[in-house]
Structure formats: structure tokens, C-alpha cells
Amino acid sequence: METNIVKGLLNAELYGKYHSTIPSDCFSRIGATYVDAIVKLHGQTPGGDLPLDTVSVFCKSSPGLTPANEQLIDTYAENLEKAAPQSEEVFSQFASRFVYNEQVRALAEVAVEGLSSKELDAPRARQLLDNIESGSTQGSLRETPADLSSFLELSHPDNLIPFNLPGAEEMLPGLAGGHNVIIFARPEVGKSSLTAQFVSGWLRQGHRVNYYGNEEPVWKIGLNVVRNALSMSDRELQDNKARHPERLAEWDVLQENLKLVDCVGMTLGDLRAHVKRTKPKFIVVDQADKVETGSADRYTHGVLKDIYASIRTIAKESDAITVNVSQAGADADGRRWLSYSMLDNSKTGKAGEADLIIGVGTDPGEANRNPMRYLCISKNKINGVHGQITTIFEHTRNQWSVAV
């Protein structure tokens, strides 16, 4: 049935009428890749039907595509070729049944997860039941009761997930589901190391974290998380592994909630499908600018804005929190204060999709010789407090602390 839906969306008229009624997380991983391509290509050629060959070529244009994934795309294209053309009436019936099946499956997943964790996601279950009973295809719409007590409870700092940086609570009070964060700095300043400290704290609190790395090898990020979690240098880790393995036992527990994903060439469809399957609370994309879109002008303002908007949507769909790691432009070199206007290649587009933006500034000179780092909060929709937090970065154990 999925291939009937995807093939129907090639038609400009059906796409215009029905695309927004089908939640993106209904599709399989390869199906989502095709739908992402269809959305992009319809945006480039409004009003025209899309040839299947054009969409398939677009799906395979990612430079990091593996032979196995290319074969999956070819197989999916063959299945699309076999799918029968549909009238609008038939397509509408397919769409309704497709979403209904997905909602029933999602409800079953919520129930199974509730049995295993002994904590049912009742609001999500109720929403799915409402959609199923009403025949709604608006699976991404969730009503929030206009109740003052609920508002106050949701906004209370005690209900936010804190950052792992004691002393910084005034500007970094914490995060909640759907929040989108940007952490940016010049190369070699420590933006991924700071993110690893935050990840360590979220793991300690029992949250699932998916770390998607498409720049440096993701195992290096994992080692940074270990250094912070155990407060040990590489030499201390090696010595303890050989002589006192019991001192490393805490990591055996923490690692159960961490997924490290090497993802060069990852598309937004790949990300959505993996998040849907693994259900993390935190989604870290390092670096978000390098998510593959198939566009030849991948680092333009509009393309980058679309990437960050799509990642934000993925977070809201799954009630997760996204953390996007990005570069700062050359105008941030040796600067203590970094504004979001210094984000590389997009002065306002990326920033417009964020709830919280943390720039990491340094003193002029060699950053690796100076442990001082300045966390610059230039956008804060969580509690509205802006400013700078002076920190000390001890890189051998990856420990960040607020300077006193």
C-alpha cells in the first residue's frame, strides 16, 4: 500500500491535496527517502507531475550512499513501477487506510512499550485512539488542553531536563520535548566536547540519546562522553581497564542508552526513520549542515533553513529534543562573544528554527593553549535570559565547569 501512496504523490494534483494529510513517520526508511525527494522536487517544479526516474536519480544523488542502500532504492523503484495508477477517489481511500493502519500499529507499539516499561504514554495513546475513531488523517496534530494548571506545570523548571553544567541554570534552565538547540563555534574550540558533556548528563538521568556524526569518526565523540562521565583521561581509562575494571562499571550501565551513528550521506528520511525505530529522547546531529538534501547548493541560506526546520519537525513528531552542532563563520575567530548572526552560511535562517542557541567563544590566540571558554546565549526562548557564561575546559578528561 505504501508504494501506491508514494506513486500517487508524484502527481502534482494529488500531492497538493493529500501530502499534508499523511504523517511523514508513516513511511518506511526508503519510502521516507522517496517522499523527502518528492517534496523537494515538487518545490522546485510547482504544478508539474514528477517522472519516477527523476525522483529515483535524486534519491541516489547522495555522495555517501552505500551500494546496499542504492540497491534498496532500485528495488523500491521497481515496486513503484508495478503500482497501478489511481484515480483521486481510489488514492483517497488508499491514503485513509494507510494512515489508519499506521495509527493502529503505533497504538500497539505504545501499548507494548507501556507493558515493558510499566509506564504508558497515555496522552499519545488517547490521541491515537481519537484519530482512529474519528477517521482523522491528521496524525501530526495534537490538541493541548487550554488549562492554566497544565500550562504552569509544563513551564515549571522542575519539569525541564537539566544541562550537565552546575552553576549555569539561570541561562540554561533545561529542555523539554520539541525543543531545538544549536551549539556552534569555530573549529577546534570544543563544540562537540561541550555537547558530549551534556550527553553524559542526560545519560545519567536515564534518557536515551542518539548521536549522529557525519564529520569526525563518531567513536571519538563516544570517547569524549566516557571521559566526562567517568572523569578520567585516556591514560586513566587504559590503566583502570587493565588493573581496576570495576572502576569502569558505571559506563556499562550508561552506554545502554547511547546510540552512536556514523552517518555520512544521511538524508532527512534516514534520520526520521531511525528516530522512529529507536525512539530517543535526545537527537544530536553533528553536523546538521551536512545532512544530505540532494541540492547542488547545499550550503545556501534557504537549504540550511529547510534542514533545521525539518529536524525541528522530527523532534516535535517524536516529542524528542534536538541538538544541532554547527560551525561559526570566520568573523567568530578569537571572539569572546558569538551571536547567532555568526553561524556559518546562514545569518538568520538556521537561527529562526532554534529555541536555544549556544555559541562557544574564546580569547584571541591559540584556543588549545587557553582553557577559558565563553558560552554565549544569543537566543533563548526557554526562559528569555541572554548573556555569557564563563567556563573552564579541561580537555584531557573533557570536564567543563563554570568559572567562579
Side-chain angles (χ1 to χ4, degrees):
M1 185 179 293
E2 178 180 298
T3 52
N4 295 95
I5 300 298
V6 175
K7 186 167 187 175
L9 293 175
L10 298 173
N11 178 278
E13 184 176 355
L14 293 178
Y15 174 85
K17 287 185 178 181
Y18 293 97
H19 170 250
S20 63
T21 71
I22 306 173
S24 55
D25 61 358
C26 287
F27 297 94
S28 65
R29 181 172 67 86
I30 301 299
T33 298
Y34 264 87
V35 172
D36 282 343
I38 289 169
V39 171
K40 184 70 176 179
L41 291 170
H42 271 307
Q44 293 176 357
T45 56
D49 295 346
L50 300 177
L52 176 57
D53 288 347
T54 301
V55 179
S56 297
V57 169
F58 190 95
C59 289
K60 294 192 289 186
S61 63
S62 170
L65 189 69
T66 64
N69 280 335
E70 184 171 355
Q71 180 60 51
L72 289 173
I73 289 172
D74 287 337
T75 301
Y76 199 89
E78 292 172 4
N79 292 332
L80 288 174
E81 286 279 11
K82 297 174 184 176
Q86 307 136 55
S87 65
E88 181 177 348
E89 181 181 358
V90 172
F91 182 86
S92 175
Q93 293 173 355
F94 267 126
S96 296
R97 173 55 60 176
F98 179 60
V99 175
Y100 171 84
N101 290 349
E102 170 59 24
Q103 289 170 340
V104 171
R105 186 202 60 76
L107 181 61
E109 279 191 358
V110 171
V112 170
E113 188 168 338
L115 285 171
S116 61
S117 66
K118 298 182 181 179
E119 186 176 346
L120 179 68
D121 185 353
R124 177 62 173 154
R126 279 194 294 270
Q127 183 64 56
L128 288 166
L129 280 170
D130 289 344
N131 287 343
I132 292 167
E133 290 174 356
S134 66
S136 170
T137 59
Q138 299 292 337
S140 59
L141 301 182
R142 299 188 187 183
E143 293 185 7
T144 298
D147 175 65
L148 177 58
S149 297
S150 297
F151 296 158
L152 294 175
E153 180 180 356
L154 291 169
S155 64
H156 196 281
D158 288 349
N159 294 319
L160 299 176
I161 300 173
F163 287 90
N164 182 23
L165 190 62
E169 292 82 5
E170 181 182 1
M171 294 186 208
L172 300 176
L175 300 167
H179 279 152
N180 194 27
V181 181
I182 296 176
I183 298 175
F184 76 108
R186 291 296 289 159
E188 303 298 319
V189 167
K191 53 187 176 291
S192 295
S193 298
L194 175 64
T195 306
Q197 167 147 326
F198 293 154
V199 168
S200 167
W202 297 326
L203 292 174
R204 284 184 181 279
Q205 296 168 58
H207 299 292
R208 296 178 184 173
V209 181
N210 284 9
Y211 200 113
Y212 301 91
N214 56 19
E215 191 176 55
E216 65 179 322
V218 76
W219 67 263
K220 291 186 176 182
I221 301 296
L223 184 56
N224 250 341
V225 178
V226 176
R227 290 173 185 141
N228 180 271
L230 303 182
S231 191
M232 294 182 190
S233 66
D234 291 357
R235 175 175 292 183
E236 290 167 330
L237 288 168
Q238 293 285 3
D239 287 347
N240 282 317
K241 181 174 176 58
R243 302 177 185 179
H244 302 285
E246 71 278 2
R247 296 177 183 175
L248 308 180
E250 183 183 9
W251 182 248
D252 292 335
V253 177
L254 296 179
Q255 69 172 320
E256 292 298 319
N257 280 331
L258 177 63
K259 291 188 183 299
L260 299 170
V261 186
D262 268 314
C263 60
V264 174
M266 177 181 72
T267 67
L268 291 166
D270 294 334
L271 177 62
R272 177 178 284 112
H274 193 264
V275 167
K276 177 183 174 183
R277 186 170 70 253
T278 57
K279 297 179 175 58
K281 186 62 181 179
F282 286 89
I283 303 163
V284 182
V285 185
D286 184 358
Q287 294 186 14
D289 292 20
K290 296 184 179 181
V291 171
E292 184 56 52
T293 65
S295 171
D297 302 317
R298 61 185 298 172
Y299 294 123
T300 60
H301 171 88
V303 171
L304 291 172
K305 177 178 173 64
D306 287 346
I307 290 173
Y308 282 72
S310 297
I311 291 175
R312 182 187 186 95
T313 298
I314 291 171
K316 292 180 73 68
E317 288 172 348
S318 55
D319 194 34
I321 296 163
T322 45
V323 180
N324 307 280
V325 181
S326 182
Q327 294 279 17
D331 52 349
D333 265 335
R335 299 282 294 272
R336 286 190 175 190
W337 174 255
L338 272 60
S339 167
Y340 62 72
S341 65
M342 297 177 181
L343 278 160
D344 205 18
N345 294 312
S346 179
K347 303 302 182 184
T348 58
K350 294 190 286 189
E353 302 302 328
D355 298 292
L356 179 69
I357 301 180
I358 305 171
V360 186
T362 62
D363 290 307
E366 293 290 330
N368 58 6
R369 297 180 183 175
N370 186 345
M372 305 303 292
R373 298 291 186 272
Y374 306 94
L375 307 190
C376 309
I377 316 302
S378 59
K379 183 174 182 180
N380 187 349
K381 293 175 67 176
I382 298 170
N383 68 356
V385 180
H386 301 74
Q388 190 175 76
I389 305 166
T390 302
T391 65
I392 299 172
F393 172 34
E394 198 281 284
H395 72 277
T396 60
R397 296 182 178 86
N398 193 34
Q399 300 293 310
W400 294 68
S401 57
V402 174
V404 294

